Amino acid sequence: MAHTDYTDASEVLIMIGKAQDGEETQREQAREAKRFITVRDGQWDEYAVSKMDNRFRGTFDMCSPIVDGIAGEMEQSDFTIRVAPSGGEASKDTAKTLDGIIRNIRNISNAEASFNAAGRSMITGGFDAWEVTQDWIDGDSFDQDLFIRKIPNAIDSVWFDMSSVLQDRSDAKWSVKLVALPIAEYNERWADGSGTSIGDNASYRNSDNCKEKIEVVTVGKLYYRKPRNIELVMMSDGSVYRDDEK
């Protein structure tokens, strides 16, 4: 079975382009749903808006209260993560340690705000994302910490392996996060770069809702899984272990 060469930029660009083309319709429907709820005159047909010019237009919004009601129920509920030993070499002490680490990550990240914002966006358009990243908690920190952070404009910036089928995309072999940088910042960070953007599939950039054309270069951060071979052994009691130094 041939594996994708993630070090080949041209192959990666083709891969991203295919993922964007495959989800073009679904993403545009999600954008339309978000515009309908969040953008001024979003519930008006563009043709009607152009004909009415600057005359008064009233909107009888029946959708936002429904979104607020569902989001409110979610925000008032307590969602948490519990770590429990699953058998084998797992122990209660290890599970307790991991449980404490996860709680600390959520606390320093203000993760509830990210979860709530992503949940409201999911209700409105059906798509959003957040990520676990590493960074310094402040300027005086020597060691980095893990943080849970919402991805801005995920509907246009986050793309996944088209072969993944699970709803949370946890089975994806790769994913990419696109970020639009001002040209000055791009040149400062990559002085020898080509200055060519990765396609971001953001058709809204050419719409009437985006009056100002901002000069940016879109770059991407690629995440992918590396296959590796492991050797397993089964003991006479049925337990399974990896054949390694442990």
Side-chain angles (χ1 to χ4, degrees):
M1 178 179 177
H3 296 289
T4 302
D5 183 6
Y6 295 106
T7 63
D8 186 340
S10 60
E11 187 171 348
V12 170
L13 291 175
I14 293 173
M15 178 181 72
I16 295 173
K18 289 181 178 179
Q20 292 177 328
D21 291 341
E23 293 192 16
E24 172 82 26
T25 302
Q26 293 90 335
R27 294 294 180 99
E28 184 54 36
Q29 289 174 346
R31 295 186 193 110
E32 183 179 353
K34 289 191 174 185
R35 285 196 297 267
F36 189 84
I37 297 296
T38 62
V39 176
R40 182 181 180 183
D41 292 333
Q43 298 183 26
W44 280 85
D45 181 82
E46 291 185 5
Y47 177 78
V49 172
S50 64
K51 287 297 182 182
M52 296 181 69
D53 196 20
N54 292 323
R55 287 177 289 174
F56 170 77
R57 295 185 300 274
T59 301
F60 189 59
D61 186 0
M62 299 289 291
C63 297
S64 294
I66 298 175
V67 173
D68 292 339
I70 299 173
E73 290 286 341
M74 294 173 59
E75 291 164 3
Q76 292 176 17
S77 301
D78 292 328
F79 296 96
T80 187
I81 299 174
R82 287 284 180 257
V83 180
S86 59
E89 295 184 349
S91 67
K92 291 184 178 180
D93 290 339
T94 301
K96 186 176 181 180
T97 300
L98 292 175
D99 192 77
I101 292 174
I102 293 174
R103 279 202 308 272
N104 180 67
I105 293 172
R106 293 183 60 160
N107 289 336
I108 63 176
S109 305
N110 191 20
E112 298 305 319
S114 297
F115 296 158
N116 291 338
R120 180 174 287 270
S121 182
M122 281 291 295
I123 297 166
T124 305
F127 184 89
D128 214 311
W130 47 266
E131 64 177 339
V132 179
T133 185
Q134 62 186 55
D135 201 352
W136 287 275
I137 194 169
D138 55 47
D140 296 329
S141 299
F142 185 80
D143 297 320
Q144 291 188 338
D145 288 283
L146 293 178
F147 296 88
I148 297 172
R149 288 175 176 164
K150 189 177 182 301
I151 300 176
N153 198 29
I155 198 170
D156 294 305
S157 61
V158 179
W159 302 91
F160 295 95
D161 168 23
M162 286 296 293
S163 64
S164 62
V165 295
L166 296 181
Q167 188 175 17
D168 62 357
R169 299 302 184 100
S170 59
D171 60 334
K173 296 177 183 177
W174 62 267
S175 67
V176 64
K177 183 182 73 172
L178 305 181
V179 180
L181 298 177
I183 290 181
E185 182 178 348
Y186 175 87
N187 291 334
E188 182 180 351
R189 296 175 64 175
W190 296 287
D192 298 328
S194 66
T196 303
S197 291
I198 299 175
D200 58 5
N201 191 249
S203 58
Y204 72 92
R205 293 189 188 280
N206 298 320
S207 69
D208 292 337
N209 293 327
C210 188
K211 299 295 184 182
E212 298 180 3
K213 306 302 181 183
I214 303 174
E215 295 295 329
V216 296
V217 178
T218 302
V219 300
K221 179 179 287 187
L222 180 67
Y223 302 87
Y224 60 91
R225 292 177 172 176
K226 289 185 176 180
R228 62 174 179 169
N229 296 322
I230 60 174
E231 187 173 349
L232 302 178
V233 295
M234 178 178 288
M235 312 303 290
S236 57
D237 62 355
S239 57
V240 178
Y241 300 93
R242 289 188 183 183
D243 186 9
D244 55 22
E245 66 275 4
K246 296 182 180 180

